[in-house]
Amino acid sequence: MAGSGSGASDSGSLSDESHQFERLRLEPIYDSFVCPLTKQVMRDPVTIETGQTFEREAIEKWFEGCNENGRRPTCPVTLKELRSTDLSPSIALRHTIEEWTARNEAAQLDMARTSLSMGTFEKDILQALSFVQLISQKSQSNKHVVCSAGMIHLIVIMLKNSSRRVRLRALETLRIVAEQDANTKEMMAEGDTVRTIVKFLSHERSREREEAVSLLYELSKSETLSEKIGSINGAILILVGMTSSNSENLVTAKKAEKTMDNLAKHENNVRQMAENGRLQPLLTLLLEGQPETKLSMAGFLGDLALNNDVKVHVAKTVGSSLIDLMRTGILPSREASLKALNQISSCEASAKVLIEAGILPPLVKDLFSTGFRQHPMHLKEVSATILSNVVNSGYDFSSCVIGPGNQTLVSENIIHDLLHLISNTGPAIECKLLQALVGLTSSHATVLKVVVAIKSSGATISLVQFIEAPQRDLRLAAIKLLHNLSPHMSQELADALRGTAGQLGSLIKIILENSGITEEQAAAVGFLADLPEKDLGLTRQMLNEGAFQLIMSRVKGIREGATKGNRFMTPYLEGLVRVLARVSYILAEEPKAVALCREHGVALLFTDLLQANGLENVQIVSAWALENLSLESKKLTRLPEVPPQSFCASIFSCFHKTPNIAGLCPVHGGLCSLRETFCLLDGQAVERLVALLDHTNEKAVEASLAALSTLLDDGVNIEQGVVVLTEAEGTRHIFDVLVANRNENLRRRAVWAVERLLRTEGIAIGVSDDANVGTALVDAFQHGDGRTRQIAERALKHVDKIPNFSGIFPNSDRA
């Protein structure tokens, strides 16, 4: 075999090696065979008028040179001018040369075969291969001679030679021999030849890859070999990679591209290309193939895993064709097209393309079909999945016509049909249709129409009952739908939840599952939080079931870091806090709620949550809850027991001494604490609420101001409340809220609080010269609602902006 020249570069050209081999002749060259001009054996000898014989091409070129130089044509040998440039073919000489050439080439080919068979020296092998190339390029008949001599098998063996130069020359030789020769290609289809060539595609050196691709391109012109190349494991994958790789040179990439075009004549190859990211051949067959081919390609498309960009491209290219295929009455066509549409509709952008292409009318028609036209249930499930995909694309369905009479997907009768189908199918279809309703209720443009249809259908209770579904996906879809509906039909849903056995308990169980924080839990607690906060029956039911204690425990666990966070953490925590805040709305009516809040330190927890930075909704809800709790403080505060008077003190007043009781709340006048009486003066609640008055969120400011205003309310010591707020720098912030005049609600609350503050003479004097406060009060007096104007008027009197006629009209009501 060849020696260790695998890394060496070629020494000498291929032509030199082949001619060197060609010079090893059995018969000598006769002078009459050689052209005087080319010094080579002639192939097409012709004679001129001087009797000299030349190669036709060479003498014609000589005559052209004479004409270009302005000379009369001459004989190259005798240099005599010629009267004529006529050429006479030397047929006899030509035949003699051909016979001589054939005898020598046969002998040389035999020598080449011996060199390849023995494979001793690299130089001999390279010369033999070069000679095979040379004679193969001379004529097609020579290629047949090469094949007949068994050379193909020997050249293929050279592909495994240790010399890189030999391997490259062998690849090149096989390509030359195979060019435009079907017999050679058939021989190369036998055995393991193609597999060996394919291995060169993954070679680390670019030259090997280039030669292998060139050879495969030539072989791929044969249908038999095209199929065989595709059957080699990894061949198409590597070729696809080469067409899209920036590391390949342009020539190699183009050859790989052309090879792929040839391979695409076979459906199996097209499938492999699609699996490896080259979809266009499959899409072309889907558009232009025979009906059975379209069916096959559509079905295969449905099995592919596509990224979103590809899904959009596919939807734009063949979406309409797939929809047309779906419209046919042939079951296999529907099945294949639905399978493909299910795949490409699972991306928002591609789903919108399919909507524009008209997928909804036939899709809805198939879903609602009955009788002999009805789809098998497994196809209805696919249709329902596609509907869920397209509806959750964010498209505006309010004006998307899908049926006669300008029916849309949110027309009342269409929603009724969907609800009816949900009630009469299995869990898989129910889940997808509920997901479709989730999509429709996620849009402001369509949610109200869905709400109207659900109310008119009487399906509310049926939807609530899905909370107890054993299938997690089905349950999740139902809860997400209820969550979307809750802002628009909260009382109806609360009534249904209270009126059905076990649903509330099941919902709470889902919320408090210890399996991490899931999307289902976040949706469930969001739904429960959206129900009317003052629904006494629902809150009492939760109280009786011990829900609030468990929710408190979960909130504390999250705050302490016991629960691992994820993308559902924020909505889940916000929902828990909102649900927990419900208990603060029934304190006046439900002693059990007061006892619960005392026992578990609910006010302490809400005070802590005021510092939940970055969770402004949690802070807002906590402030509102603290307002509700603080309003109960004046009822819950109590005086300590006073020791009984002595006998003398009870008879003689001179012996009576008023006891001095320390530690009384200055605002509520009794023994207070944040835990027992929900008093804001304890536990830094006031300071944290004052800090919220600087929040950028107007709702946070309003909730904080509402809670702080309980210290200025009727029934408490307002003067002491002012003192507490002043010490916490709350008065300044309250005046700032008034001056900012950010919205009507805030102005109304700020005017009320400012009027209470201005009842303290020192504060009134301090702000009487503040033009901003005066202007804000005047603006409220002129533009506020009736109640706000009355309060603003009293505030202006406190700072002498309006005359106070109370001395003249003593019965005037200042409250």
Side-chain angles (χ1 to χ4, degrees), residues 349-399:
S350 58
K352 289 178 180 178
V353 173
L354 294 176
I355 294 168
E356 295 290 345
I359 191 174
L360 281 175
L363 190 65
V364 172
K365 182 180 178 182
D366 284 347
L367 269 173
F368 297 155
S369 61
T370 57
F372 72 95
R373 296 180 180 275
Q374 181 174 345
H375 263 349
M377 292 309 291
H378 74 280
L379 289 189
K380 277 192 181 291
E381 181 181 345
V382 179
S383 297
T385 304
I386 297 171
L387 181 64
S388 171
N389 290 341
V390 299
V391 166
N392 283 281
S393 65
Y395 194 87
D396 181 9
F397 294 97
S398 58
S399 57

Side-chain angles (χ1 to χ4, degrees), residues 430-431 434-435 438 462-469 472-485 523 527:
E430 288 172 342
C431 178
L434 285 172
Q435 288 174 357
V438 169
S462 298
L463 293 175
V464 169
Q465 288 173 344
F466 279 112
I467 292 173
E468 293 189 298
R472 182 176 290 274
D473 289 346
L474 176 58
R475 198 170 61 236
L476 171 61
I479 292 173
K480 288 173 71 174
L481 174 60
L482 294 171
H483 187 196
N484 288 351
L485 295 172
F527 162 52

Side-chain angles (χ1 to χ4, degrees), residues 393-459:
S393 65
Y395 194 87
D396 181 9
F397 294 97
S398 58
S399 57
C400 181
V401 177
I402 64 167
N406 291 322
Q407 282 184 332
T408 68
L409 207 53
V410 290
S411 294
E412 191 168 7
N413 64 318
I414 297 295
I415 298 297
H416 285 176
D417 288 342
L418 282 173
L419 292 169
H420 177 75
L421 196 56
I422 289 172
S423 301
N424 293 278
T425 53
I429 298 178
E430 288 172 342
C431 178
K432 297 304 178 182
L433 295 180
L434 285 172
Q435 288 174 357
L437 288 176
V438 169
L440 292 174
T441 54
S442 297
S443 166
H444 294 297
T446 53
V447 60
L448 293 180
K449 292 184 178 180
V450 178
V451 167
V452 169
I454 289 175
K455 287 181 178 180
S456 64
S457 70

Side-chain angles (χ1 to χ4, degrees), residues 545-747:
E545 294 187 12
F548 292 112
Q549 296 94 312
L550 296 172
I551 289 172
M552 279 191 65
S553 177
R554 180 58 65 89
V555 172
K556 289 178 180 177
I558 292 173
R559 292 289 289 163
E560 293 167 1
T563 303
K564 188 176 180 181
N566 58 26
R567 63 194 176 100
F568 302 115
M569 170 71 85
T570 297
Y572 180 67
L573 179 58
E574 289 176 354
L576 288 176
V577 174
R578 288 175 63 198
V579 173
L580 181 60
R582 294 181 66 91
V583 76
S584 71
Y585 288 90
I586 65 166
L587 295 171
E589 296 87 358
E590 184 54 68
K592 287 183 179 180
V594 176
L596 173 86
C597 292
R598 282 174 158 174
E599 180 182 353
H600 294 279
V602 171
L604 289 166
L605 178 58
F606 281 125
T607 301
D608 175 63
L609 289 170
L610 291 176
Q611 292 186 301
N613 296 327
L615 298 172
E616 56 188 35
N617 289 335
V618 169
Q619 293 173 308
I620 292 167
V621 173
S622 298
W624 284 119
L626 285 172
E627 180 204 19
N628 296 334
L629 289 161
S630 181
L631 286 171
E632 298 301 309
S633 295
K634 55 192 174 187
K635 301 176 186 176
L636 299 175
T637 191
R638 60 183 177 81
L639 290 171
E641 294 182 6
V642 180
Q645 298 178 4
S646 67
F647 175 76
C648 292
S650 63
I651 297 175
F652 303 103
S653 60
C654 61
F655 291 99
H656 176 71
K657 186 177 181 180
T658 304
N660 185 17
I661 304 173
L664 296 182
C665 174
V667 175
H668 301 114
L671 295 175
C672 281
S673 69
L674 187 57
R675 185 181 191 95
E676 293 295 327
T677 65
F678 320 137
C679 178
L680 299 182
L681 273 63
D682 187 23
Q684 296 186 316
V686 172
E687 290 80 358
R688 293 175 183 179
L689 287 166
V690 168
L692 274 186
L693 291 176
D694 266 342
H695 206 288
T696 55
N697 189 320
E698 295 175 2
K699 292 181 179 179
V701 176
E702 183 182 357
S704 174
L705 183 56
L708 291 171
S709 294
T710 60
L711 302 179
L712 305 172
D713 203 8
D714 295 336
V716 304
N717 189 326
I718 297 176
E719 290 184 5
Q720 289 299 316
V722 172
V723 171
V724 170
L725 290 173
T726 302
E727 290 176 351
E729 299 187 357
T731 53
R732 176 177 60 83
H733 286 91
I734 292 173
F735 282 118
D736 289 343
V737 172
L738 172 68
V739 170
N741 191 18
R742 293 160 78 176
N743 63 50
E744 188 58 36
N745 285 339
L746 268 178
R747 177 165 71 176

Side-chain angles (χ1 to χ4, degrees), residues 17-29 41 99-116 124-125 127-136 138 142 145-146 149 151 154:
E17 289 174 342
S18 61
H19 286 168
Q20 185 177 354
F21 198 88
E22 192 178 24
R23 285 195 288 271
L24 299 175
R25 302 183 180 91
L26 297 180
E27 299 181 27
I29 299 179
V41 175
E99 291 172 358
W100 175 89
T101 300
R103 290 193 301 273
N104 274 286
E105 285 182 347
Q108 290 163 344
L109 188 61
D110 188 57
M111 292 169 61
R113 183 172 59 248
T114 301
S115 296
L116 293 178
D124 293 341
I125 297 171
Q127 288 179 354
L129 291 171
S130 298
F131 176 73
V132 173
Q133 291 184 26
L134 181 67
I135 64 170
S136 296
K138 286 182 177 180
N142 282 354
V145 172
V146 168
M151 298 293 288
L154 296 175

Side-chain angles (χ1 to χ4, degrees), residues 783-798:
H783 303 106
D785 59 27
R787 179 63 177 159
T788 302
R789 291 177 64 185
Q790 289 178 0
I791 298 172
E793 180 183 2
R794 290 202 298 268
L796 287 167
K797 288 176 181 179
H798 294 324

